[in-house]
Amino acid sequence: MPGLIPSITTHFNMDRDDCRRNAELGKNLMCRLKCMFSSSSAPESRLCLEETHQWSQSLERLLGSKYGLATFRTFLKSEFSDENIEFWLTCEDYKKITSSHKMSSKAKKIFKQFVEAESPKEINIDYHTREEIKRNVRTPTVQCFDEAQNIVYGLMERDSYPRFLRSEMYRTLLESLATDTAQG
């Protein structure tokens, strides 16, 4: 049993270090967000406590806020799991393409970057969806990635979004804005 104690202590220290690192991430993020968002001269375009609280109402509300989207992306990058939001945003941009030539080129890039097995930012979708997209990319349409985009959105909504709401980063941001509001 003596060998177990150092292992538990090491694990405890690693957890404590993770908490400290996450708290620092939250503080650093808050500084960056304040710099980015408060530099705007219009008060209505600044990040505020009320808007930040509204992010907890739904993933859609979070992604619909430019500050919410920026914060969520930063959180996902800190967890090395930003491929889903990057794919989702890329699909949103893809849907705006009107030229069939550009659509074909962009569809192939999206497939190679996110969908193809072993791709650099491979998203977590089932084999059937992956194969369907592979067929769709040959003659792409605006809806080419819709099924995969819906799957990815669902994954973010069920997994990443709740983790974000529980994260030290989000809590630190709320606390900092609450303090600023109370002092202001």
Side-chain angles (χ1 to χ4, degrees):
M1 288 293 184
L4 184 62
I5 304 278
S7 174
I8 291 171
T9 306
T10 302
H11 183 71
F12 177 74
N13 287 339
M14 287 171 47
D15 286 346
R16 192 174 51 213
D17 290 345
D18 286 345
C19 287
R20 256 191 245 124
R21 193 175 309 112
N22 286 338
E24 284 303 310
L25 270 173
K27 289 175 187 169
N28 291 341
L29 172 67
M30 190 58 215
C31 289
R32 282 189 295 176
L33 288 173
K34 279 183 175 179
C35 289
M36 281 173 36
F37 304 146
S38 64
S39 63
S40 174
S41 57
E44 66 276 358
S45 67
R46 293 184 186 150
L47 181 62
C48 67
L49 181 60
E50 182 182 333
E51 177 185 351
T52 309
H53 271 295
Q54 290 176 2
W55 299 346
S56 67
Q57 293 175 2
S58 70
L59 178 59
E60 184 177 350
R61 191 164 286 223
L62 174 68
L63 299 180
S65 158
K66 72 178 179 178
Y67 304 139
L69 177 58
T71 306
F72 190 55
R73 283 176 86 172
T74 302
F75 167 74
L76 292 174
K77 284 178 184 177
S78 76
E79 290 198 329
F80 305 100
S81 63
D82 58 326
E83 68 281 347
N84 287 337
I85 191 68
E86 295 303 324
F87 173 74
W88 188 83
L89 290 168
T90 300
C91 289
E92 289 297 295
D93 287 342
Y94 172 80
K95 291 176 184 180
K96 297 172 186 167
I97 298 172
T98 54
S99 160
S100 60
H101 176 69
K102 285 183 182 178
M103 187 176 288
S104 177
S105 173
K106 185 70 171 180
K108 289 174 186 167
K109 284 181 184 176
I110 293 171
F111 181 81
K112 285 205 175 293
Q113 187 174 19
F114 296 101
V115 180
E116 190 172 53
E118 306 297 320
S119 60
K121 293 184 175 186
E122 183 180 354
I123 54 170
N124 186 8
I125 56 174
D126 58 274
Y127 175 80
H128 169 74
T129 304
R130 196 175 308 281
E131 289 300 306
E132 183 180 328
I133 292 171
K134 191 176 189 176
R135 287 188 299 276
N136 289 344
V137 167
R138 292 182 193 135
T139 55
T141 64
V142 174
Q143 299 85 16
C144 188
F145 298 99
D146 282 359
E147 187 175 347
Q149 191 181 18
N150 288 334
I151 291 169
V152 163
Y153 187 89
L155 288 170
M156 288 190 299
E157 192 169 42
R158 287 186 307 277
D159 184 41
S160 307
Y161 175 61
R163 274 197 333 270
F164 168 73
L165 294 177
R166 291 188 307 268
S167 73
E168 190 68 32
M169 182 182 289
Y170 181 58
R171 288 186 302 199
T172 301
L173 180 61
L174 285 173
E175 289 169 10
S176 180
L177 287 169
T179 301
D180 288 354
T181 300
Q183 291 174 354

